[in-house]
Amino acid sequence: MAKAGRCAICGRPGTVRVPHANAWFCDEHFPTWLERRIRRVAERYGMFEGSRRVAVAVSGGKDSVTLLHALKAIGDEVGFEVVSLHLDLGIGEFSRASAEVARRNAEMLGVESVVVDLKSKYGFTVPEAVRSTRRPACSTCGLVKRYALGEAAEDVGADTLATGHNLDDMAQFIAMGYQSGDVEELARLRPVVPAEHYAVKSVKPLFLVYERETAEYARVKGLPTVSLKCPLKDATSGWIVREKMKEVEEAMPGFMMRFVQEFAEKIQPALAERYLREGEVGRCRICGRPTSKGREICSFCAVRMRATGMATA
């Protein structure tokens, strides 16, 4: 392990090392540095241009908790309101613990806290959805969360939805997209999704922030986070790729950041121009929300029908 250096801001002994920046920070100044970097990234990609009310998806994990606290600080500076948005997925003790952590963090900041119970609103839980489909558990959960969070953000009057996808997540998504050759999915993988077919813009303010940095932020600020692991989490090849990319990162600090940033700024736009036809969007005949052209029922409603036994109209 590298010998501890001096904080880049105050000169005191450092406690947090940031290899890609070749810098150390003390516990007092690391959160400030990270908040400033998140703000610079957000400004570079126009994430909060025109935003007045930002719904932050708070799962209770270190990434979403860090995002909530960082955006509260940034919002106070630049002029947008933050609301905490939590989905109760119905995963037993894990969901109960997650909801409590989300509540405590919102209470610490004095921000509005909204909890959406999946079972009450849509008639099923994530475990019920997983049992009813052949999709991997994490894939099913992700599909459900994207739909429910987007609708919940609209319901609370937000104009922007912020999710806690970090740099490690994005690097994994990109690498797996290359492996599968799913160019359309890669073309859709971007840090800002404008409100074209939906009422709410979607942003990923942590997409250039390493997972270890959100963990350090939560640690030094003493933030409550969920210690339980989701019992439904898949053991997939994606996690092998994720760990191997971390090994490369150790040998070449900054590799993952350059990998993701170059994709976001050069490769994704080229893929979108070639493979996406934004005008070709249909409407689900059950919920009325956007779906792929040619499909009568969106993926969420298809999962909901199987999980609840709901018949089509």
Side-chain angles (χ1 to χ4, degrees):
M1 182 176 178
K3 183 179 179 181
R6 296 283 175 175
C7 175
I9 295 178
C10 69
R12 289 182 293 182
T15 55
V16 181
R17 180 172 176 250
V18 182
H20 69 87
N22 193 27
W24 285 83
F25 297 92
C26 65
D27 279 3
E28 178 185 353
H29 290 116
F30 176 72
T32 302
W33 173 81
L34 189 61
E35 288 167 6
R36 288 174 179 169
R37 190 154 73 84
I38 293 170
R39 179 174 174 176
R40 287 197 299 271
V41 169
E43 290 174 346
R44 176 170 181 164
Y45 294 91
M47 292 187 179
F48 299 114
E49 289 180 1
S51 297
R52 292 293 176 266
R53 185 168 165 85
V54 178
V56 182
V58 181
S59 67
K62 60 188 179 305
D63 300 315
S64 65
V65 165
T66 291
L67 181 62
L68 179 68
H69 285 258
L71 291 192
K72 177 61 167 66
I74 295 169
D76 287 347
E77 292 178 0
V78 303
F80 59 76
E81 178 187 10
V82 165
V83 55
S84 170
L85 193 58
H86 176 76
L87 292 181
D88 185 335
L89 304 174
I91 312 176
E93 181 57 31
F94 175 76
S95 284
R96 287 189 287 272
S98 299
E100 175 60 16
V101 165
R103 183 196 65 78
R104 288 172 61 193
N105 278 281
E107 190 175 74
M108 287 173 67
L109 293 170
V111 300
E112 181 182 350
S113 178
V114 176
V115 177
V116 177
D117 185 279
L118 199 67
K119 182 74 170 181
S120 298
K121 185 164 185 179
Y122 297 107
F124 69 95
T125 64
V126 163
E128 290 169 346
V130 170
R131 288 194 294 269
S132 70
T133 181
R134 295 180 181 177
R135 298 172 64 113
C138 289
S139 175
T140 300
C141 186
L143 184 158
V144 169
K145 287 193 292 187
R146 284 191 296 273
Y147 183 100
L149 283 170
E151 193 163 76
E154 294 177 15
D155 290 344
V156 299
D159 49 52
T160 306
L161 171 65
T163 60
H165 296 92
N166 62 41
L167 176 63
D168 300 53
D169 296 329
M170 294 293 289
Q172 178 185 336
F173 297 157
I174 295 166
M176 295 306 292
Y178 286 157
Q179 181 198 39
S180 66
D182 192 342
V183 290
E184 290 192 9
E185 189 63 29
L186 285 170
R188 294 188 181 92
L189 188 59
R190 47 188 172 172
V192 180
V193 179
E196 296 172 342
H197 305 296
Y198 299 92
V200 178
K201 173 173 61 176
S202 179
V203 299
K204 300 179 179 69
L206 303 183
F207 91 106
L208 292 180
V209 174
Y210 289 87
E211 182 178 36
R212 63 173 176 263
E213 293 174 342
T214 66
E216 290 288 1
Y217 184 98
R219 178 189 67 80
V220 301
K221 289 182 73 71
L223 305 181
T225 59
V226 177
S227 58
L228 299 176
K229 291 186 177 180
C230 177
L232 301 180
K233 197 166 190 176
D234 301 320
T236 66
S237 58
W239 291 99
I240 298 174
V241 170
R242 189 185 187 98
E243 291 305 311
K244 291 301 180 183
M245 294 191 79
K246 287 182 180 179
E247 291 179 14
V248 177
E249 177 69 27
E250 286 294 321
M252 301 170 57
F255 164 78
M256 287 170 64
M257 181 177 292
R258 291 188 295 273
F259 179 74
V260 172
Q261 189 167 348
E262 291 300 317
F263 172 83
E265 296 186 359
K266 298 178 181 178
I267 299 173
Q268 186 277 331
L271 290 175
E273 183 177 354
R274 172 66 177 82
Y275 293 104
L276 290 188
R277 300 291 182 268
E278 296 293 349
E280 297 182 358
V281 176
R283 292 282 170 178
C284 174
R285 68 179 176 85
I286 294 177
C287 69
R289 296 177 73 81
T291 188
S292 302
K293 188 175 182 181
R295 292 193 58 175
E296 291 189 353
I297 300 174
C298 71
S299 297
F300 175 85
C301 284
V303 168
R304 185 182 183 186
M305 287 167 57
R306 286 192 292 269
T308 63
M310 180 177 71
T312 59

